[in-house]
Every structure is written in structure tokens, then in C-alpha cells.
Amino acid sequence: LLMYITVMSSAPQLLNSVMEEKMSRISEVLIGSVTPFELMMGKLLGCVSVSFLLAALYAGGGLVVANYWGYGSSITVGMLLWFALFLIMAVLIFGSIFVAIGAACNDLKDTQSMITPVMILVVLPLVTWSAVIRSPDSTMSVALSMFPTSAPFLMLLRISIQPGPPLWQVLLSFTIVTAATVVVVWAAGRIFRTRILMQGKSASFGEMVRWVEAG
């Protein structure tokens, strides 16, 4: 839940940021100094930094409370390390998606149709976490903890339930998420580069796919 709150508090703001800069033509000035990919990565890295700050504040308070009530030993260094690694990947994945949507649209109303399928991916961990808690080693739990957009949340949940998943599952999940992150950031970079300076009609998902394929 802490990771979910952190990601959703920062990543969606990138959509508004990109659209505001595009509509006010600030992006045209920025592109004169940096490349589109550098501009996008600056936004993503800034989002990662904000997410880490929020997570550190909440996690620090949570650790103090846990230690006060005698549950501090339940939180291990390994859990915090996996939390940090999965948090980076989750922010980059969802941040890239929101950046791409913001660059592809020219009006906030046009983003609604594109955000709907994205929100399905966003709420997937929320509607399945209770089932994962009840049966962390079931086929469904393992599959969801390997799916790129839900893995950062649900694999971390499985790790926190003793005795935890096998190490190979954790490493495989992290590898899948890392590979997905690279692909999503790369695809978002192509969409951002193609569309950030374009005005007129908002793009469709089909057009975004063609931009990625065309490079």
C-alpha cells in the first residue's frame, strides 16, 4: 500500500505537467536546450526522486511505530532493499505511460479514453492483494507477481509473507519488471519525441503504436 500510494501520488502528475508545457508551448523552448529524450528522462528521474522522498518519510514513520509496538523485527533490510528497487521500476513504468499519454493528447478531455485502460493496470494490485495474502503460492499469485505492472506491488507482498517465495521467483520477477521498464521507457521516448511539438488532433493508440514501430 505504501508503494501504491507513493507511485500514484507522483506518476500521474507527469501527465498534467507534460500537457501544460505542451499547451503553453513551454516545451518548444525546452527542446531548444535539450533533446526530447533528455527532457522526458529528466521528468522521470525527478518523479523517482519525489517518490523516494515520500517513501522515506512514510517508511521512516512506519518503522518508528513498528518498533514502538514491538514489530520492528518483522521489517528486514532485504524487504527495504526490494521495496526500493521495485519502487524505482514502478515509478518509471507508470511515469513513462503517463508521459506518453500527455504528449499524445492536446486536451485533458482527450486523455480520459486513454487513461481508462491504464487505470485497469493501476487497480489490478488493489483488487487482487487480498487473494494473494490468502494464498501467496497459488498459481494466480505467482502469475500476478510476474506481470510487469502488478509485480512490483504483489511480489513485494509475497516477500513480506513468511517464509516468502523461492529466490528464483523473486529474481525472475525483478528481471521481467526491469526488462518491461526498459521497453516502456524506450517506447514512451519515441512517442514523446514524435508528438511533443505537434498540435491539432489528439493521437489514438494505433497511431502511438505506429510511432513506436517507425521510431
Side-chain angles (χ1 to χ4, degrees), residues 29-153:
V29 178
L30 297 175
I31 295 300
S33 302
V34 296
T35 66
F37 187 76
E38 289 174 343
L39 177 59
M40 187 192 77
M41 285 306 301
K43 291 180 178 295
L44 289 176
L45 294 178
C47 187
V48 169
S49 300
V50 171
S51 298
F52 258 100
L53 177 60
L54 289 174
L57 292 175
Y58 284 119
L63 287 172
V64 170
V65 174
N67 285 321
Y68 178 81
W69 291 104
Y71 294 101
S73 59
S74 301
I75 304 173
T76 64
V77 175
M79 288 172 59
L80 294 175
L81 177 60
W82 284 118
F83 175 85
L85 293 175
F86 278 123
L87 176 62
I88 294 174
M89 300 304 163
V91 172
L92 289 177
I93 287 177
F94 286 104
S96 297
I97 293 174
F98 284 114
V99 164
I101 293 176
C105 296
N106 291 317
D107 191 288
L108 289 174
K109 294 180 180 179
D110 296 331
T111 64
Q112 299 305 313
S113 59
M114 290 191 176
I115 287 181
T116 299
V118 175
M119 293 309 297
I120 294 176
L121 299 177
V122 169
V123 302
L124 180 61
L126 284 184
V127 299
T128 56
W129 70 270
S130 58
V132 174
I133 289 179
R134 288 194 299 269
S135 184
D137 295 321
S138 67
T139 301
M140 185 193 74
S141 297
V142 174
L144 288 172
S145 64
M146 299 296 172
F147 188 67
T149 57
S150 61
F153 308 96

Side-chain angles (χ1 to χ4, degrees), residues 14-25 27 96-118 191-192 194-205 207-208 211:
L14 291 174
L15 187 151
N16 294 328
S17 173
V18 172
M19 288 206 66
E20 288 176 3
E21 291 177 0
K22 183 178 180 179
M23 294 170 65
S24 62
R25 298 187 179 275
S27 56
S96 297
I97 293 174
F98 284 114
V99 164
I101 293 176
C105 296
N106 291 317
D107 191 288
L108 289 174
K109 294 180 180 179
D110 296 331
T111 64
Q112 299 305 313
S113 59
M114 290 191 176
I115 287 181
T116 299
V118 175
I191 295 171
F192 188 84
T194 302
R195 185 70 190 190
I196 188 60
L197 298 180
M198 294 176 62
Q199 301 294 327
K201 181 182 176 182
S202 296
S204 64
F205 278 116
E207 289 175 317
M208 294 169 71
W211 294 337

